[in-house]
Amino acid sequence: MSDNLRGSLAMIISMAAFAVEDALLKFAMQTVPTSIVLMLFGVVGLCLFSGLSVRAKEPVLHTAILSPPMLVRSVFELGGRLFFFLALAFSPLSSTTAILQSAPLVVTLGAVLFLGAHVGPRRWVAMGVGFIGVLLILRPTPASFEMASIFAVLATIGFSGRDLATSISPKTMSGNQLGTLGFIVLILAGFVLLPFQGLPSAPMEPLHLAIVAGTTIVGVVAYNTLTLAMRTGDISVVTPFRYSRMLFALVFAVFWFGERPDFLMLAGTILIVGSGLYTLIRSGGKIPSGTKA
């Protein structure tokens, strides 16, 4: 088996695990306040990634966590995590996942605006097509627009800003240390939301605690498998398989949550995935760094 094939399979497994994580989180938030799920998810993830750092004999927290790039990264991650959980709680899983697939387009646009990257006319067209796909899903008309769908858009902006900040973050930070920082931010996001939702009226049932804990373990598997995928195969070959997450999400949305995506939603998804694939292939799977395409 070639490195590219191993990397592609790892990416598909990672995206399947992320889809499972999303579905379990959405299920948990049907009965538990979003703020509590955020904090529990963050605490379990923090323990797991801290343990991985201890096992690797490295500091749990890197000294660069207060550097400007990491502070910017944390602010964007705070917004991304918070709005993503709100999107999962109040919006359909299918549309939330579809809108999040536009992140590579937003990252490319951000790289142009803030990192001095250059892209050619064909990729500008691809970005425009992708954003049309987002509009098809959002349906910004008085008759069909749903305010909750804005959460997914804000989450996409937050995650894209996080990824841009990560690209200029210290290279000495390990994946475990970045994961630890991310879950600390997740706990903070829960505290931000807590005053608006309050504490649950009754103690959480063991089943709910088990679901959140299991979800975190699945998330760690997804994160580490993603890292394996990106380090095993050629990035330009492996990265497009990131969009397999959309297929897994649609399966959960239809067969678990009873969602029925209509023509506009599916058309928007195709536009987003198609334009994102083109953008990733033209950039070699990386953030643009000055080479026109």
PDB file of all heavy atoms in Angstrom, residues 14 16 19 25 28 30 38 45 68 91 102 107 126 130 179 183 203 208-209 219 223-224 231 248 267:
ATOM      1  N   SER A  14     -10.735   9.584   9.472  1.00  0.00           N
ATOM      2  CA  SER A  14     -10.801  10.781  10.306  1.00  0.00           C
ATOM      3  C   SER A  14     -12.105  11.528  10.088  1.00  0.00           C
ATOM      4  O   SER A  14     -12.771  11.946  11.043  1.00  0.00           O
ATOM      5  CB  SER A  14      -9.613  11.700   9.995  1.00  0.00           C
ATOM      6  OG  SER A  14      -9.738  12.930  10.675  1.00  0.00           O
ATOM      7  N   ALA A  16     -14.918  10.333   8.950  1.00  0.00           N
ATOM      8  CA  ALA A  16     -16.021   9.525   9.499  1.00  0.00           C
ATOM      9  C   ALA A  16     -16.118   9.719  11.005  1.00  0.00           C
ATOM     10  O   ALA A  16     -17.214   9.855  11.565  1.00  0.00           O
ATOM     11  CB  ALA A  16     -15.811   8.053   9.157  1.00  0.00           C
ATOM     12  N   ALA A  19     -17.618  13.048  11.799  1.00  0.00           N
ATOM     13  CA  ALA A  19     -19.068  13.019  11.581  1.00  0.00           C
ATOM     14  C   ALA A  19     -19.784  12.336  12.741  1.00  0.00           C
ATOM     15  O   ALA A  19     -20.852  12.786  13.176  1.00  0.00           O
ATOM     16  CB  ALA A  19     -19.386  12.313  10.260  1.00  0.00           C
ATOM     17  N   LEU A  25     -22.678  14.796  19.509  1.00  0.00           N
ATOM     18  CA  LEU A  25     -22.825  16.081  20.191  1.00  0.00           C
ATOM     19  C   LEU A  25     -24.233  16.640  19.986  1.00  0.00           C
ATOM     20  O   LEU A  25     -24.852  17.148  20.930  1.00  0.00           O
ATOM     21  CB  LEU A  25     -21.775  17.070  19.677  1.00  0.00           C
ATOM     22  CG  LEU A  25     -20.340  16.855  20.162  1.00  0.00           C
ATOM     23  CD1 LEU A  25     -19.386  17.784  19.433  1.00  0.00           C
ATOM     24  CD2 LEU A  25     -20.240  17.083  21.674  1.00  0.00           C
ATOM     25  N   ALA A  28     -26.580  14.747  22.185  1.00  0.00           N
ATOM     26  CA  ALA A  28     -26.447  15.096  23.600  1.00  0.00           C
ATOM     27  C   ALA A  28     -27.097  16.438  23.907  1.00  0.00           C
ATOM     28  O   ALA A  28     -27.729  16.614  24.956  1.00  0.00           O
ATOM     29  CB  ALA A  28     -24.969  15.123  23.996  1.00  0.00           C
ATOM     30  N   GLN A  30     -29.666  17.710  22.703  1.00  0.00           N
ATOM     31  CA  GLN A  30     -31.119  17.693  22.689  1.00  0.00           C
ATOM     32  C   GLN A  30     -31.701  17.632  24.103  1.00  0.00           C
ATOM     33  O   GLN A  30     -32.860  17.986  24.321  1.00  0.00           O
ATOM     34  CB  GLN A  30     -31.617  16.497  21.863  1.00  0.00           C
ATOM     35  CG  GLN A  30     -31.359  16.634  20.371  1.00  0.00           C
ATOM     36  CD  GLN A  30     -31.822  15.423  19.588  1.00  0.00           C
ATOM     37  OE1 GLN A  30     -32.017  14.346  20.138  1.00  0.00           O
ATOM     38  NE2 GLN A  30     -31.995  15.595  18.280  1.00  0.00           N
ATOM     39  N   LEU A  38     -20.368  21.791  26.175  1.00  0.00           N
ATOM     40  CA  LEU A  38     -19.096  22.430  25.818  1.00  0.00           C
ATOM     41  C   LEU A  38     -18.053  22.205  26.904  1.00  0.00           C
ATOM     42  O   LEU A  38     -16.921  21.800  26.624  1.00  0.00           O
ATOM     43  CB  LEU A  38     -19.309  23.930  25.612  1.00  0.00           C
ATOM     44  CG  LEU A  38     -19.671  24.428  24.211  1.00  0.00           C
ATOM     45  CD1 LEU A  38     -20.199  25.845  24.280  1.00  0.00           C
ATOM     46  CD2 LEU A  38     -18.465  24.366  23.290  1.00  0.00           C
ATOM     47  N   GLY A  45     -11.518  16.298  26.868  1.00  0.00           N
ATOM     48  CA  GLY A  45     -10.489  16.461  25.840  1.00  0.00           C
ATOM     49  C   GLY A  45      -9.192  17.003  26.406  1.00  0.00           C
ATOM     50  O   GLY A  45      -8.102  16.571  26.006  1.00  0.00           O
ATOM     51  N   PRO A  68       1.477  36.556  20.304  1.00  0.00           N
ATOM     52  CA  PRO A  68       0.385  37.160  19.518  1.00  0.00           C
ATOM     53  C   PRO A  68      -0.318  36.197  18.559  1.00  0.00           C
ATOM     54  O   PRO A  68      -1.557  36.169  18.530  1.00  0.00           O
ATOM     55  CB  PRO A  68       1.092  38.307  18.774  1.00  0.00           C
ATOM     56  CG  PRO A  68       2.208  38.702  19.690  1.00  0.00           C
ATOM     57  CD  PRO A  68       2.684  37.412  20.304  1.00  0.00           C
ATOM     58  N   SER A  91     -29.466  24.077  14.446  1.00  0.00           N
ATOM     59  CA  SER A  91     -29.605  23.981  12.996  1.00  0.00           C
ATOM     60  C   SER A  91     -29.519  22.526  12.557  1.00  0.00           C
ATOM     61  O   SER A  91     -28.963  21.695  13.275  1.00  0.00           O
ATOM     62  CB  SER A  91     -28.512  24.796  12.293  1.00  0.00           C
ATOM     63  OG  SER A  91     -28.605  26.163  12.619  1.00  0.00           O
ATOM     64  N   SER A 102     -17.140  25.134   3.420  1.00  0.00           N
ATOM     65  CA  SER A 102     -16.621  26.312   2.714  1.00  0.00           C
ATOM     66  C   SER A 102     -15.394  26.892   3.395  1.00  0.00           C
ATOM     67  O   SER A 102     -14.835  27.891   2.912  1.00  0.00           O
ATOM     68  CB  SER A 102     -17.709  27.387   2.613  1.00  0.00           C
ATOM     69  OG  SER A 102     -18.069  27.882   3.902  1.00  0.00           O
ATOM     70  N   VAL A 107     -10.466  30.395   4.120  1.00  0.00           N
ATOM     71  CA  VAL A 107      -9.040  30.428   4.440  1.00  0.00           C
ATOM     72  C   VAL A 107      -8.266  31.053   3.284  1.00  0.00           C
ATOM     73  O   VAL A 107      -7.368  31.883   3.496  1.00  0.00           O
ATOM     74  CB  VAL A 107      -8.512  29.014   4.744  1.00  0.00           C
ATOM     75  CG1 VAL A 107      -6.983  29.005   4.792  1.00  0.00           C
ATOM     76  CG2 VAL A 107      -9.070  28.517   6.071  1.00  0.00           C
ATOM     77  N   ALA A 126     -13.741  30.209  -8.484  1.00  0.00           N
ATOM     78  CA  ALA A 126     -14.101  29.062  -7.645  1.00  0.00           C
ATOM     79  C   ALA A 126     -14.624  29.524  -6.293  1.00  0.00           C
ATOM     80  O   ALA A 126     -15.611  28.974  -5.775  1.00  0.00           O
ATOM     81  CB  ALA A 126     -12.881  28.154  -7.456  1.00  0.00           C
ATOM     82  N   GLY A 130     -18.367  28.895  -4.715  1.00  0.00           N
ATOM     83  CA  GLY A 130     -18.564  28.310  -3.393  1.00  0.00           C
ATOM     84  C   GLY A 130     -19.451  29.163  -2.508  1.00  0.00           C
ATOM     85  O   GLY A 130     -20.336  28.650  -1.795  1.00  0.00           O
ATOM     86  N   GLY A 179      -3.789  20.741  20.705  1.00  0.00           N
ATOM     87  CA  GLY A 179      -5.049  20.145  21.138  1.00  0.00           C
ATOM     88  C   GLY A 179      -5.419  20.554  22.553  1.00  0.00           C
ATOM     89  O   GLY A 179      -6.578  20.864  22.846  1.00  0.00           O
ATOM     90  N   PHE A 183      -8.825  22.670  23.676  1.00  0.00           N
ATOM     91  CA  PHE A 183      -9.855  22.233  24.613  1.00  0.00           C
ATOM     92  C   PHE A 183      -9.968  23.178  25.808  1.00  0.00           C
ATOM     93  O   PHE A 183     -11.036  23.276  26.415  1.00  0.00           O
ATOM     94  CB  PHE A 183      -9.589  20.798  25.060  1.00  0.00           C
ATOM     95  CG  PHE A 183     -10.094  19.774  24.075  1.00  0.00           C
ATOM     96  CD1 PHE A 183      -9.237  19.154  23.184  1.00  0.00           C
ATOM     97  CD2 PHE A 183     -11.440  19.460  24.017  1.00  0.00           C
ATOM     98  CE1 PHE A 183      -9.701  18.224  22.260  1.00  0.00           C
ATOM     99  CE2 PHE A 183     -11.926  18.535  23.110  1.00  0.00           C
ATOM    100  CZ  PHE A 183     -11.055  17.919  22.226  1.00  0.00           C
ATOM    101  N   PRO A 203     -29.845  16.721  37.776  1.00  0.00           N
ATOM    102  CA  PRO A 203     -28.509  16.151  37.540  1.00  0.00           C
ATOM    103  C   PRO A 203     -28.466  15.384  36.217  1.00  0.00           C
ATOM    104  O   PRO A 203     -29.447  14.779  35.795  1.00  0.00           O
ATOM    105  CB  PRO A 203     -28.327  15.197  38.735  1.00  0.00           C
ATOM    106  CG  PRO A 203     -29.270  15.699  39.782  1.00  0.00           C
ATOM    107  CD  PRO A 203     -30.435  16.264  39.042  1.00  0.00           C
ATOM    108  N   HIS A 208     -25.872  10.410  29.559  1.00  0.00           N
ATOM    109  CA  HIS A 208     -25.438  11.648  28.925  1.00  0.00           C
ATOM    110  C   HIS A 208     -23.946  11.881  29.162  1.00  0.00           C
ATOM    111  O   HIS A 208     -23.220  12.313  28.256  1.00  0.00           O
ATOM    112  CB  HIS A 208     -26.252  12.822  29.449  1.00  0.00           C
ATOM    113  CG  HIS A 208     -27.708  12.722  29.124  1.00  0.00           C
ATOM    114  ND1 HIS A 208     -28.698  13.197  29.968  1.00  0.00           N
ATOM    115  CD2 HIS A 208     -28.347  12.162  28.065  1.00  0.00           C
ATOM    116  CE1 HIS A 208     -29.880  12.965  29.426  1.00  0.00           C
ATOM    117  NE2 HIS A 208     -29.699  12.336  28.279  1.00  0.00           N
ATOM    118  N   LEU A 209     -23.491  11.610  30.386  1.00  0.00           N
ATOM    119  CA  LEU A 209     -22.063  11.749  30.671  1.00  0.00           C
ATOM    120  C   LEU A 209     -21.246  10.785  29.815  1.00  0.00           C
ATOM    121  O   LEU A 209     -20.182  11.150  29.294  1.00  0.00           O
ATOM    122  CB  LEU A 209     -21.805  11.481  32.156  1.00  0.00           C
ATOM    123  CG  LEU A 209     -22.361  12.521  33.137  1.00  0.00           C
ATOM    124  CD1 LEU A 209     -22.221  12.017  34.573  1.00  0.00           C
ATOM    125  CD2 LEU A 209     -21.626  13.847  32.977  1.00  0.00           C
ATOM    126  N   GLY A 219     -13.422  12.143  19.093  1.00  0.00           N
ATOM    127  CA  GLY A 219     -12.794  13.353  18.575  1.00  0.00           C
ATOM    128  C   GLY A 219     -11.283  13.285  18.595  1.00  0.00           C
ATOM    129  O   GLY A 219     -10.615  13.745  17.657  1.00  0.00           O
ATOM    130  N   TYR A 223      -8.877  13.518  15.395  1.00  0.00           N
ATOM    131  CA  TYR A 223      -7.796  14.503  15.310  1.00  0.00           C
ATOM    132  C   TYR A 223      -6.458  13.823  15.003  1.00  0.00           C
ATOM    133  O   TYR A 223      -5.711  14.250  14.117  1.00  0.00           O
ATOM    134  CB  TYR A 223      -7.714  15.278  16.618  1.00  0.00           C
ATOM    135  CG  TYR A 223      -6.638  16.341  16.648  1.00  0.00           C
ATOM    136  CD1 TYR A 223      -6.888  17.629  16.198  1.00  0.00           C
ATOM    137  CD2 TYR A 223      -5.364  16.056  17.138  1.00  0.00           C
ATOM    138  CE1 TYR A 223      -5.902  18.607  16.225  1.00  0.00           C
ATOM    139  CE2 TYR A 223      -4.371  17.026  17.165  1.00  0.00           C
ATOM    140  CZ  TYR A 223      -4.646  18.296  16.712  1.00  0.00           C
ATOM    141  OH  TYR A 223      -3.660  19.254  16.728  1.00  0.00           O
ATOM    142  N   ASN A 224      -6.166  12.751  15.721  1.00  0.00           N
ATOM    143  CA  ASN A 224      -4.882  12.075  15.515  1.00  0.00           C
ATOM    144  C   ASN A 224      -4.821  11.377  14.157  1.00  0.00           C
ATOM    145  O   ASN A 224      -3.763  11.329  13.522  1.00  0.00           O
ATOM    146  CB  ASN A 224      -4.641  11.064  16.643  1.00  0.00           C
ATOM    147  CG  ASN A 224      -4.273  11.740  17.949  1.00  0.00           C
ATOM    148  OD1 ASN A 224      -3.703  12.821  17.960  1.00  0.00           O
ATOM    149  ND2 ASN A 224      -4.611  11.127  19.070  1.00  0.00           N
ATOM    150  N   ARG A 231       0.468  13.698   7.417  1.00  0.00           N
ATOM    151  CA  ARG A 231       1.912  13.437   7.494  1.00  0.00           C
ATOM    152  C   ARG A 231       2.332  12.204   6.700  1.00  0.00           C
ATOM    153  O   ARG A 231       3.526  11.932   6.577  1.00  0.00           O
ATOM    154  CB  ARG A 231       2.324  13.264   8.958  1.00  0.00           C
ATOM    155  CG  ARG A 231       2.277  14.562   9.758  1.00  0.00           C
ATOM    156  CD  ARG A 231       2.648  14.341  11.210  1.00  0.00           C
ATOM    157  NE  ARG A 231       2.724  15.600  11.939  1.00  0.00           N
ATOM    158  CZ  ARG A 231       2.951  15.697  13.248  1.00  0.00           C
ATOM    159  NH1 ARG A 231       3.123  14.585  13.969  1.00  0.00           N
ATOM    160  NH2 ARG A 231       3.005  16.874  13.836  1.00  0.00           N
ATOM    161  N   PHE A 248     -20.714  11.360   5.133  1.00  0.00           N
ATOM    162  CA  PHE A 248     -21.041  10.711   6.407  1.00  0.00           C
ATOM    163  C   PHE A 248     -22.085  11.525   7.171  1.00  0.00           C
ATOM    164  O   PHE A 248     -23.007  10.963   7.781  1.00  0.00           O
ATOM    165  CB  PHE A 248     -19.781  10.538   7.250  1.00  0.00           C
ATOM    166  CG  PHE A 248     -18.769   9.595   6.656  1.00  0.00           C
ATOM    167  CD1 PHE A 248     -17.516  10.040   6.273  1.00  0.00           C
ATOM    168  CD2 PHE A 248     -19.071   8.260   6.477  1.00  0.00           C
ATOM    169  CE1 PHE A 248     -16.582   9.182   5.722  1.00  0.00           C
ATOM    170  CE2 PHE A 248     -18.145   7.380   5.941  1.00  0.00           C
ATOM    171  CZ  PHE A 248     -16.895   7.838   5.557  1.00  0.00           C
ATOM    172  N   ALA A 267     -27.887  21.233  -3.948  1.00  0.00           N
ATOM    173  CA  ALA A 267     -27.194  21.994  -4.986  1.00  0.00           C
ATOM    174  C   ALA A 267     -26.121  22.885  -4.376  1.00  0.00           C
ATOM    175  O   ALA A 267     -24.998  22.980  -4.897  1.00  0.00           O
ATOM    176  CB  ALA A 267     -28.202  22.833  -5.774  1.00  0.00           C
TER     177      ALA A 267
END
